[in-house]
Amino acid sequence: LVQSARAQAAIKNVASVAPLASAAFRHPRATREVLLNGQAVAFEVKRRTRRTIGFSVSAEGLSVSAPPWVPLPEIDRSVQGKSAWILTKLQETHERRRQLDAARIVWKDGAVFAYLGAPVRVVLGSHQPQGALHVGRIEGDAAPSLHLSLPDDASAAQIERAVQAWLMQQASALFTRRLNHFAVQLNVQWRKLSLSSAATRWGSANASGAIRLNWRLLHFRPEVIDYVVVHELSHLRVMDHSPRFWATVQSVM
């Protein structure tokens, strides 16, 4: 009991070591703060109807879900007990956001985006033929260039929409060719192709023969696109992810 009392007192002191705004990892709705291996972490506490304490790390930071009857010092102690996992996940999330920020495209004349796994440079000019892809050097740059019939002062939104429209046009044609190619090998018949903009899914298929493929696949190498195409076509034979399904995929890839 004495050790428990001392531990709770220590946790209480640690939890109030600094104001919430000082934490390097601070959830926007943080109500508690602890030191984990010398690193200040401010986290959100959510009271939930559950039996145990749960931990979740997202782009916002650390959230801790706990039953209504669990006292705050016990929540702090649980966070301390998971310190290694929490810090690892927070660091991974921070690095992932840093990489995404670094990779975010600034849409302007000369912007570079990925097409079939290779860089393509945007070239603006109202005299340019719309959507013409030229392979060759542009001012010493070996990357192919996508010429857009837009004025030099076109807005970032206009440029992004034009590039997306071009990519979707290319996606429709390329996906159709690859679906036809692999459908013969798999002895299946697809009936409809739809382009998807889903945030977390690259493709889907249903028993009627309808295939949905994410147009953003155009950013990746052709062999990646082929894998997704084969994956979805294989579902026209096996509508689950059983060993028989994976054997179907492996039969052609």
Side-chain angles (χ1 to χ4, degrees):
L1 290 174
V2 172
Q3 289 180 343
S4 176
R6 288 175 178 173
Q8 290 192 15
I11 290 172
K12 184 176 180 181
N13 289 337
V14 168
S16 59
V17 70
L20 292 179
S22 69
F25 294 110
R26 184 181 188 279
H27 196 287
R29 294 181 297 279
T31 56
R32 303 289 289 175
E33 182 178 324
V34 294
L35 278 180
L36 303 181
N37 294 338
Q39 178 70 68
V41 176
F43 59 94
E44 174 190 32
V45 176
K46 298 185 290 186
R47 295 296 186 174
R48 295 286 187 266
T49 303
R50 51 182 297 149
R51 295 182 178 181
T52 60
I53 298 174
F55 306 89
S56 174
V57 175
S58 68
E60 289 186 311
L62 172 64
S63 294
V64 180
S65 298
W69 49 265
V70 175
L72 290 173
E74 185 173 339
I75 293 175
D76 293 340
R77 185 165 58 250
S78 296
V79 172
Q80 292 282 351
K82 294 281 289 186
S83 61
W85 180 87
I86 289 170
L87 287 175
T88 296
K89 292 300 180 183
L90 286 171
Q91 292 285 1
E92 289 176 353
T93 302
H94 176 77
E95 177 61 18
R96 197 155 50 238
R97 289 188 65 182
R98 188 195 66 78
Q99 292 177 355
L100 287 172
D101 289 342
R104 187 171 287 116
I105 298 172
V106 178
W107 293 105
K108 61 181 181 179
D109 188 32
V112 176
F113 67 94
Y115 172 64
L116 299 182
V120 171
R121 187 172 300 280
V122 172
V123 176
L124 302 184
S126 56
H127 62 283
Q128 302 283 3
Q130 175 70 16
L133 186 64
H134 298 265
V135 179
R137 292 183 175 273
I138 300 293
E139 297 181 357
D141 191 346
S145 58
L146 175 65
H147 290 205
L148 299 177
S149 182
L150 292 173
D152 294 339
D153 60 352
S155 68
Q158 288 177 302
I159 299 170
E160 183 178 10
R161 283 196 300 267
V163 172
Q164 179 177 331
W166 181 82
L167 284 170
M168 293 181 74
Q169 183 181 39
Q170 305 306 306
S172 181
L174 177 61
F175 294 166
T176 298
R177 291 197 300 270
R178 303 315 287 164
L179 284 167
N180 288 336
H181 174 78
F182 286 111
V184 173
Q185 297 186 38
L186 289 165
N187 193 27
V188 296
Q189 185 174 1
W190 66 278
R191 300 185 182 280
K192 179 183 177 183
L193 168 65
S194 299
L195 296 184
S196 163
S197 296
T200 60
R201 177 172 293 188
W202 293 115
S204 63
N206 63 39
S208 70
I211 303 288
R212 290 177 63 86
L213 295 172
N214 197 313
W215 65 265
R216 293 185 179 89
L217 283 167
L218 262 288
H219 293 307
F220 300 101
R221 302 188 311 276
E223 53 266 35
V224 175
I225 298 172
D226 280 352
Y227 167 73
V228 178
V229 168
V230 168
H231 186 110
E232 301 310 334
L233 284 174
S234 295
H235 277 310
L236 300 186
R237 288 177 56 181
V238 185
M239 292 301 293
D240 56 34
H241 290 104
S242 63
R244 190 163 69 93
F245 168 80
W246 294 113
T248 302
V249 173
Q250 191 175 8
S251 69
V252 297
M253 181 168 290

